[in-house]
Amino acid sequence: MAGTSVLIVEDEEALATLLEYNLNKENFDVSIASDGEEGLLKIKENIPDVVILDWMLPKISGIEICRQIRSMSETRNIPIIMLTARSEEADRIRGLETGADDYLTKPFSTKELIARVKAVLRRIRPGLADDTVTVGDIEIDRVSHRVQRGDEEIHLGPTEFRLLDHLIQHPGRVFSREQLLNAVWGSDVFVEVRTVDVHIGRLRKALNKFKQGDPIRTVRSAGYALDIK
Ligand code: CA
């Protein structure tokens, strides 16, 4: 789970610390917000890979945070696990309707929580949960930065590697050039959108070096997607 960031929004300090300790042991990068306002700020400041969100929070409720996360395009797809002291079925349904991906009723074991975090990551962003990701005939190893397609080793530059790493997390989804720029180069760097085309071209060429087929789809005036059967 190296490099996977988890934000815990929880006002019970002892619980937040316990979760942080256990998630750190699993190599997640953990940050904590102790009320709703701080939670939203931290999410906007540095978009986490997963949010663990308490239902009852000072200032802004968990439900409201959930709604706001889902309403912003940059944060819409973040997996959210809601924590609650309530156990009524109606609340559970309300939480899921507001956009939470999973739900845990207090008290729960940290082991259970970690299992749920890994499960939502696998389900929603298959590429994120592990050091190696295999989608179709493409396999990437985030630790050694190696890429294989079928039995062939593919050599990529660092930018092409990051592009592929981003695309492979959401197979089939179309990303605009601007979205790819933000994800791969970062939003604070000035890079021309045309640069994305250049690196996509290189990635495409490298992936199809052994004539296994071009897995990158160009969507006219929209962007690019990685399509793998
Ligand atoms: Ca609370």
Side-chain angles (χ1 to χ4, degrees):
M1 297 295 156
T4 305
S5 57
V6 179
L7 174 66
I8 302 168
V9 190
E10 168 62 74
D11 57 318
E12 279 172 54
E13 205 187 321
L15 178 59
T17 309
L18 178 72
L19 297 182
E20 180 187 33
Y21 173 77
N22 283 282
L23 286 161
N24 274 336
K25 275 208 303 200
E26 298 280 323
N27 290 319
F28 287 101
D29 300 330
V30 184
S31 52
I32 296 176
S34 55
D35 64 56
E37 209 171 82
E38 191 189 349
L40 266 182
L41 266 174
K42 287 204 164 165
I43 289 163
K44 288 175 187 167
E45 211 172 79
N46 205 343
I47 297 177
D49 294 312
V50 186
V51 178
I52 296 170
L53 186 58
D54 187 28
W55 178 295
M56 299 286 275
L57 285 167
K59 298 183 184 168
I60 304 174
S61 74
I63 281 283
E64 177 57 20
I65 292 178
C66 199
R67 205 189 56 73
Q68 292 205 30
I69 290 174
R70 290 295 178 251
S71 68
M72 296 180 280
S73 62
E74 316 79 58
T75 55
R76 184 166 294 151
N77 297 311
I78 303 176
I80 300 171
I81 298 175
M82 287 282 268
L83 306 181
T84 184
R86 312 166 180 208
S87 56
E88 286 94 1
E89 187 66 12
D91 287 337
R92 184 190 159 91
I93 290 166
R94 211 175 128 213
L96 294 173
E97 272 176 354
T98 317
D101 297 285
D102 206 345
Y103 203 99
L104 273 173
T105 305
K106 295 177 186 175
F108 53 83
S109 74
T110 49
K111 228 173 143 181
E112 176 68 19
L113 177 84
I114 285 166
R116 301 284 187 98
V117 168
K118 289 183 179 173
V120 289
L121 280 170
R122 265 195 300 274
R123 196 167 71 228
I124 296 161
R125 303 176 71 174
L128 208 61
D130 300 298
D131 288 336
T132 58
V133 189
T134 309
V135 174
D137 60 353
I138 299 175
E139 185 183 306
I140 71 171
D141 185 325
R142 295 206 166 93
V143 179
S144 63
H145 271 223
R146 287 172 72 146
V147 178
Q148 274 209 302
R149 184 149 190 219
D151 296 327
E152 309 290 348
E153 182 149 2
I154 305 287
H155 298 278
L156 297 178
T159 304
E160 286 72 40
F161 184 88
R162 287 203 303 276
L163 260 178
L164 177 62
D165 194 358
H166 188 71
L167 290 168
I168 211 165
Q169 288 172 34
H170 315 268
R173 191 167 123 193
V174 180
F175 290 98
S176 69
R177 290 171 178 82
E178 288 79 8
Q179 284 172 326
L180 291 173
L181 266 183
N182 284 341
V184 174
W185 284 264
S187 51
D188 49 350
V189 179
F190 181 77
V191 183
E192 282 196 60
V193 281
R194 285 278 308 156
T195 309
V196 176
D197 300 336
V198 173
H199 288 279
I200 284 279
R202 285 186 197 157
L203 175 61
R204 204 169 227 161
K205 205 171 149 196
L207 288 174
N208 200 22
K209 191 177 171 201
F210 300 97
K211 309 279 172 251
Q212 291 147 305
D214 179 4
I216 295 175
R217 174 166 51 107
T218 304
V219 183
R220 203 162 285 278
S221 76
Y224 298 101
L226 184 71
D227 283 342
I228 302 173
K229 274 117 223 148

